[in-house]
Amino acid sequence: MEAATLECTSSSSEKRYFPESLDSSDGDEEGVLACEDLELNPFDGLPYSSRYYKLLKEREDLPIWKEKYSFMEKLLQSQIVIVSGDAKCGKSSQVPQWCAEYCLSVHYQHGGVVCTQVHKPTAVQLALRVADEMDVNIGHEVGYVIPFENCCTSETILRYCTDDMLQREMMSNPFLGSYGVIILDDIHERSIATDVLLGLLKDVLIARPELKLIINSSPHLINKLSSYYGNVPLIQVKNKHPVEVVYLSGAQKESFESILRLIFEIHHSGEKGDIVVFLACEQDIEKAYEIVCQEGSNLNPDLGELVVVPLYPKEKCALFKPNDEMEKRCPVYQRRVVLTASSGESLICSNTVKFVIDVGVERRKVYNPRIRADSLVTQPISQSQAETRKQLLGTSPSGKLFCLYSEEYASRDMRPLKPAEMQEASLTSTVLFMKRVDIAGLGHCDFMNRPAPESLMQALEDLDYLAALDNDGNLSEFGIIMSEFPLDPQLSKSILASCEFDCVDEMLTIAAMVTAPNCFSHLPRGAEEAALSCWKMFLHPDGDHFTLINIYKAYQDTILNAASEHCVEKWCHDYFLNCSALRTAEVIRAELLEIIKRIELPYTEPAFGSEENTLNIKKALLSGYFMQIARDVDGSGNYLMLTHKQVAQLHPLSCYSVCGRMPEWVLFHKFSIAHSNYIRIASEIAPELFMQLAPQYYFSNLPPSESKDILQQVLDHLSPISTTKKEQKMCDKCPEATEQRCTVQ
């Protein structure tokens, strides 16, 4: 940015609240007036548009706006500033813009601004909103970076990114030298990546005294943050309007009936405003969506249209206020009913929400390191989550919150704070990352909540089994290559093994498909039989991993032969496939292929369909997923895990379930302990193949079981030559084997 544009930091419609030492003008009154007459945008040197001034008035009405001068003063004087504010107070959109103004005033000598978000949709939509407010181009002055999508250039001043992407950036740029200000937003979500960044940035701040760190959080976490970072400046912001809270004791037992009754009572009352309903899980969203749509179609049209919006937190979607153009196209009043679940609070960015219905419970994934599986646990939300949902109404003068629980339940059964994800999730990927940054001297991380020792030990054990660690417990050459892939370490290992087994093309497709959202569409009631009939054409007799390859190949063939994008979408719709998920898989696969080329791993032409290729794909999968094997113990589809005594069934959409053939041994991608213990994405494997590819000391550590005895018999029948070859090739403890494997990969 040219120095001349730095003087243009004020206009007739906006007072720039810079302390004197931040003002880059030279005091020449005539020069300043001339600059004001031009009304130039200091970030791109172009005149402001009329829309800029319209949005500026909206910004000035935000609760945080009156804190701008105080914030800029503290930013200038301190290295760390904490901003405490309720949801929708404006901290996520305004604070990054003020930091961009600060960086502009010091000529970007220390870098630009990066602002992290926990959710992908929020990062994208905030970047779009802020680019609009700053009157600049998205992808140039303001951009975003989310997994497998980069909308930035080297000239980007302010970038929004997911916290995991900033964490990955530290692998190549440990001290984040591209940034002068780092903003960690949504700290109260307590994601693993955010907690890791909080710890690592302590060391980075010491190494870079010029770096500024801004922490945006809800008020509930302030005491914990203050004790973690010490006595640092604090900006506190509150929303303008009180919220009426109605506790409906006893409604939780019949939550669906209560939700329906409330929705239709609100709609019949004639009070305008959207409704947000917080449910326990995605299954509840689907069930409620079906019921509300069915009942809503029978309503009196004079009341206005009831539009039901299912909002799944894991998918790339968010709810924003309809723009003026949309409202012109829809002159008839529409009331949106948004159905969402835990973590959906951050995706609601609309000022049209006037009613919130909260069931007060959530279904959480809690990882059990002993059995290497997630358990789905239904439990009360935290008091901080309940308060965040209430704050969604803070900008509405007549907002109303309906709690389907009693006040006593809130104080007695709800924990004060949301649990940190680090204490409830698998840490294998996190430990691999920490081992990688330890190369740069940042491996000793002071976490705000220490992870469970058992989870850490299990993560280290898994990385050792995957040959990612050397004999000293540091990353091996193989582990360094694995860390280059933004994937689960087991999947990274399978990709690297596919280089040896000449099936990289197919393995990249599998990796992309299992990483992207589910490629099968949510089915409306009555469509199950038609969908199953369509999906049968993609089924592969060798397993679900191969079925995913068939679906992706059919999607690619459709793209090649389709006349337009609409034809591709119609094809997906006709076959009950999720077009958005398949597009995401295409993007993921392209990035994985780019990584393969960048680190110069061998890549062979696809040979999908041949018998040898099928065997090679299974070998590659087993190289990474030998810890996820199950055996049908009674011939009726009851699969016992090899590593523990949990019993599960194949998912109803598995190719084996559809065809009615249950293989004895399967390798699976995912398993969760819930009401229905389903194995998802499974493929048949031979026990001989498992014994040839699994590390010998992993097999030795398996608990005693009938399955282990069968495998021992298989091992005893293998020829001595095969056993010797296997030990030479697969023993991860052997330095020579590790060196050979890295050379091959």
Side-chain angles (χ1 to χ4, degrees), residues 13 28 56 73 85 117 125 242 246 299 307-308 318 326 377 391 435 471 512 529 546 728 743:
S13 298
D28 186 340
L56 180 59
E73 212 166 27
Q117 298 294 319
Q125 296 295 345
V246 179
L299 292 174
V307 180
V308 189
M326 287 172 64
V377 181
Q391 290 165 8
K435 288 287 184 182
N471 291 337
E529 191 174 335
F546 299 86
Q728 288 177 346
T743 304

mmCIF file of all heavy atoms in Angstrom, residues 13 28 56 73 85 117 125 242 246 299 307-308 318 326 377 391 435 471 512 529 546 728 743:
data_model
loop_
_atom_site.group_PDB
_atom_site.id
_atom_site.type_symbol
_atom_site.label_atom_id
_atom_site.label_comp_id
_atom_site.label_asym_id
_atom_site.label_seq_id
_atom_site.Cartn_x
_atom_site.Cartn_y
_atom_site.Cartn_z
ATOM 1 N N SER A 13 -18.183 11.203 6.916
ATOM 2 C CA SER A 13 -19.213 10.373 7.538
ATOM 3 C C SER A 13 -18.668 9.431 8.595
ATOM 4 O O SER A 13 -19.399 8.716 9.220
ATOM 5 C CB SER A 13 -19.925 9.536 6.473
ATOM 6 O OG SER A 13 -20.565 10.369 5.565
ATOM 7 N N ASP A 28 -1.154 19.068 8.267
ATOM 8 C CA ASP A 28 -1.480 20.064 7.255
ATOM 9 C C ASP A 28 -2.985 20.060 7.039
ATOM 10 O O ASP A 28 -3.546 19.156 6.426
ATOM 11 C CB ASP A 28 -0.735 19.713 5.950
ATOM 12 C CG ASP A 28 -0.916 20.799 4.900
ATOM 13 O OD1 ASP A 28 -1.885 21.585 5.018
ATOM 14 O OD2 ASP A 28 -0.099 20.856 3.969
ATOM 15 N N LEU A 56 -22.009 1.826 7.119
ATOM 16 C CA LEU A 56 -21.351 2.508 8.234
ATOM 17 C C LEU A 56 -22.358 2.884 9.318
ATOM 18 O O LEU A 56 -22.079 2.767 10.519
ATOM 19 C CB LEU A 56 -20.630 3.758 7.722
ATOM 20 C CG LEU A 56 -19.880 4.592 8.774
ATOM 21 C CD1 LEU A 56 -18.822 3.741 9.474
ATOM 22 C CD2 LEU A 56 -19.246 5.811 8.112
ATOM 23 N N GLU A 73 -6.610 2.400 21.785
ATOM 24 C CA GLU A 73 -5.628 2.866 22.769
ATOM 25 C C GLU A 73 -4.922 1.679 23.424
ATOM 26 O O GLU A 73 -3.699 1.656 23.553
ATOM 27 C CB GLU A 73 -6.348 3.705 23.828
ATOM 28 C CG GLU A 73 -5.492 4.815 24.413
ATOM 29 C CD GLU A 73 -6.346 5.811 25.192
ATOM 30 O OE1 GLU A 73 -7.422 5.418 25.699
ATOM 31 O OE2 GLU A 73 -5.929 6.968 25.284
ATOM 32 N N GLY A 85 -17.477 -9.954 24.910
ATOM 33 C CA GLY A 85 -18.730 -9.434 24.391
ATOM 34 C C GLY A 85 -19.734 -10.522 24.143
ATOM 35 O O GLY A 85 -19.382 -11.664 23.832
ATOM 36 N N GLN A 117 -11.641 -18.422 13.123
ATOM 37 C CA GLN A 117 -13.007 -18.828 13.446
ATOM 38 C C GLN A 117 -13.012 -20.346 13.618
ATOM 39 O O GLN A 117 -12.205 -21.054 13.021
ATOM 40 C CB GLN A 117 -13.980 -18.441 12.317
ATOM 41 C CG GLN A 117 -14.084 -16.960 12.058
ATOM 42 C CD GLN A 117 -14.707 -16.211 13.221
ATOM 43 O OE1 GLN A 117 -15.660 -16.683 13.825
ATOM 44 N NE2 GLN A 117 -14.169 -15.044 13.545
ATOM 45 N N GLN A 125 -18.517 -16.197 5.652
ATOM 46 C CA GLN A 125 -19.531 -15.140 5.668
ATOM 47 C C GLN A 125 -19.018 -13.862 6.326
ATOM 48 O O GLN A 125 -19.372 -12.760 5.894
ATOM 49 C CB GLN A 125 -20.792 -15.638 6.382
ATOM 50 C CG GLN A 125 -21.496 -16.793 5.679
ATOM 51 C CD GLN A 125 -22.066 -16.392 4.320
ATOM 52 O OE1 GLN A 125 -22.184 -15.214 4.012
ATOM 53 N NE2 GLN A 125 -22.400 -17.384 3.511
ATOM 54 N N PRO A 242 -32.732 -6.124 26.928
ATOM 55 C CA PRO A 242 -32.987 -7.292 27.775
ATOM 56 C C PRO A 242 -33.821 -8.316 27.020
ATOM 57 O O PRO A 242 -34.530 -7.986 26.075
ATOM 58 C CB PRO A 242 -33.764 -6.701 28.959
ATOM 59 C CG PRO A 242 -34.432 -5.490 28.405
ATOM 60 C CD PRO A 242 -33.500 -4.944 27.346
ATOM 61 N N VAL A 246 -38.646 -17.469 29.257
ATOM 62 C CA VAL A 246 -39.801 -18.243 29.727
ATOM 63 C C VAL A 246 -39.336 -19.681 29.955
ATOM 64 O O VAL A 246 -38.906 -20.359 29.020
ATOM 65 C CB VAL A 246 -40.953 -18.218 28.699
ATOM 66 C CG1 VAL A 246 -42.132 -19.042 29.206
ATOM 67 C CG2 VAL A 246 -41.373 -16.785 28.402
ATOM 68 N N LEU A 299 -51.252 -24.706 7.220
ATOM 69 C CA LEU A 299 -51.549 -23.439 7.896
ATOM 70 C C LEU A 299 -52.298 -22.477 6.972
ATOM 71 O O LEU A 299 -52.207 -22.569 5.747
ATOM 72 C CB LEU A 299 -50.253 -22.795 8.378
ATOM 73 C CG LEU A 299 -49.508 -23.509 9.511
ATOM 74 C CD1 LEU A 299 -48.181 -22.821 9.763
ATOM 75 C CD2 LEU A 299 -50.340 -23.541 10.786
ATOM 76 N N VAL A 307 -41.150 -20.948 6.451
ATOM 77 C CA VAL A 307 -40.019 -21.564 5.737
ATOM 78 C C VAL A 307 -39.124 -22.263 6.759
ATOM 79 O O VAL A 307 -38.573 -21.627 7.657
ATOM 80 C CB VAL A 307 -39.199 -20.501 4.976
ATOM 81 C CG1 VAL A 307 -38.040 -21.158 4.235
ATOM 82 C CG2 VAL A 307 -40.087 -19.738 4.010
ATOM 83 N N VAL A 308 -38.997 -23.574 6.639
ATOM 84 C CA VAL A 308 -38.206 -24.365 7.590
ATOM 85 C C VAL A 308 -36.782 -24.515 7.045
ATOM 86 O O VAL A 308 -36.587 -24.955 5.910
ATOM 87 C CB VAL A 308 -38.841 -25.747 7.831
ATOM 88 C CG1 VAL A 308 -38.130 -26.464 8.975
ATOM 89 C CG2 VAL A 308 -40.323 -25.600 8.139
ATOM 90 N N ALA A 318 -24.866 -21.217 6.787
ATOM 91 C CA ALA A 318 -25.105 -20.317 7.910
ATOM 92 C C ALA A 318 -26.352 -19.516 7.614
ATOM 93 O O ALA A 318 -26.811 -19.442 6.472
ATOM 94 C CB ALA A 318 -23.904 -19.398 8.139
ATOM 95 N N MET A 326 -33.572 -9.857 -2.005
ATOM 96 C CA MET A 326 -34.375 -11.031 -1.674
ATOM 97 C C MET A 326 -35.752 -10.620 -1.181
ATOM 98 O O MET A 326 -36.761 -11.238 -1.517
ATOM 99 C CB MET A 326 -33.666 -11.874 -0.611
ATOM 100 C CG MET A 326 -32.463 -12.633 -1.106
ATOM 101 S SD MET A 326 -31.566 -13.411 0.238
ATOM 102 C CE MET A 326 -32.785 -14.568 0.852
ATOM 103 N N VAL A 377 -22.993 -39.219 23.619
ATOM 104 C CA VAL A 377 -23.572 -39.061 24.950
ATOM 105 C C VAL A 377 -24.533 -37.883 24.942
ATOM 106 O O VAL A 377 -24.164 -36.770 24.541
ATOM 107 C CB VAL A 377 -22.457 -38.821 26.000
ATOM 108 C CG1 VAL A 377 -23.064 -38.694 27.392
ATOM 109 C CG2 VAL A 377 -21.441 -39.945 25.965
ATOM 110 N N GLN A 391 -28.257 -14.730 24.038
ATOM 111 C CA GLN A 391 -27.664 -13.511 23.479
ATOM 112 C C GLN A 391 -27.989 -13.320 22.000
ATOM 113 O O GLN A 391 -27.823 -12.225 21.467
ATOM 114 C CB GLN A 391 -26.146 -13.543 23.671
ATOM 115 C CG GLN A 391 -25.716 -13.387 25.117
ATOM 116 C CD GLN A 391 -24.265 -13.791 25.325
ATOM 117 O OE1 GLN A 391 -23.537 -14.042 24.361
ATOM 118 N NE2 GLN A 391 -23.846 -13.869 26.575
ATOM 119 N N LYS A 435 4.430 -32.664 17.546
ATOM 120 C CA LYS A 435 5.745 -33.234 17.244
ATOM 121 C C LYS A 435 6.395 -32.503 16.070
ATOM 122 O O LYS A 435 7.615 -32.292 16.057
ATOM 123 C CB LYS A 435 5.601 -34.726 16.899
ATOM 124 C CG LYS A 435 5.273 -35.608 18.089
ATOM 125 C CD LYS A 435 6.459 -35.795 19.003
ATOM 126 C CE LYS A 435 6.164 -36.746 20.140
ATOM 127 N NZ LYS A 435 7.323 -36.891 21.060
ATOM 128 N N ASN A 471 12.938 -44.072 17.211
ATOM 129 C CA ASN A 471 13.201 -44.764 18.478
ATOM 130 C C ASN A 471 13.327 -43.813 19.660
ATOM 131 O O ASN A 471 13.230 -44.240 20.817
ATOM 132 C CB ASN A 471 14.476 -45.604 18.355
ATOM 133 C CG ASN A 471 14.286 -46.787 17.423
ATOM 134 O OD1 ASN A 471 13.153 -47.228 17.212
ATOM 135 N ND2 ASN A 471 15.361 -47.291 16.846
ATOM 136 N N ALA A 512 -10.531 -38.411 -0.329
ATOM 137 C CA ALA A 512 -11.380 -37.234 -0.553
ATOM 138 C C ALA A 512 -12.828 -37.517 -0.181
ATOM 139 O O ALA A 512 -13.503 -36.687 0.439
ATOM 140 C CB ALA A 512 -11.282 -36.798 -2.010
ATOM 141 N N GLU A 529 -36.977 -46.263 -0.730
ATOM 142 C CA GLU A 529 -36.921 -47.357 -1.704
ATOM 143 C C GLU A 529 -36.368 -46.883 -3.047
ATOM 144 O O GLU A 529 -35.524 -47.552 -3.663
ATOM 145 C CB GLU A 529 -38.319 -47.948 -1.883
ATOM 146 C CG GLU A 529 -38.333 -49.252 -2.666
ATOM 147 C CD GLU A 529 -39.711 -49.888 -2.713
ATOM 148 O OE1 GLU A 529 -40.529 -49.630 -1.798
ATOM 149 O OE2 GLU A 529 -39.971 -50.627 -3.685
ATOM 150 N N PHE A 546 -14.702 -49.053 -2.198
ATOM 151 C CA PHE A 546 -14.740 -49.181 -3.653
ATOM 152 C C PHE A 546 -16.038 -48.585 -4.210
ATOM 153 O O PHE A 546 -16.056 -48.042 -5.318
ATOM 154 C CB PHE A 546 -14.604 -50.654 -4.037
ATOM 155 C CG PHE A 546 -13.318 -51.277 -3.575
ATOM 156 C CD1 PHE A 546 -13.210 -51.809 -2.295
ATOM 157 C CD2 PHE A 546 -12.211 -51.307 -4.396
ATOM 158 C CE1 PHE A 546 -12.022 -52.370 -1.847
ATOM 159 C CE2 PHE A 546 -11.013 -51.855 -3.967
ATOM 160 C CZ PHE A 546 -10.919 -52.393 -2.675
ATOM 161 N N GLN A 728 10.899 -57.945 7.905
ATOM 162 C CA GLN A 728 11.861 -57.001 7.362
ATOM 163 C C GLN A 728 11.179 -55.745 6.852
ATOM 164 O O GLN A 728 11.690 -54.635 6.995
ATOM 165 C CB GLN A 728 12.638 -57.658 6.211
ATOM 166 C CG GLN A 728 13.625 -58.721 6.693
ATOM 167 C CD GLN A 728 14.321 -59.400 5.524
ATOM 168 O OE1 GLN A 728 13.886 -59.266 4.378
ATOM 169 N NE2 GLN A 728 15.376 -60.127 5.811
ATOM 170 N N THR A 743 12.493 -44.066 1.907
ATOM 171 C CA THR A 743 13.084 -43.915 0.579
ATOM 172 C C THR A 743 12.076 -44.292 -0.499
ATOM 173 O O THR A 743 11.911 -43.596 -1.489
ATOM 174 C CB THR A 743 14.340 -44.814 0.462
ATOM 175 O OG1 THR A 743 15.235 -44.477 1.508
ATOM 176 C CG2 THR A 743 15.007 -44.634 -0.882
#
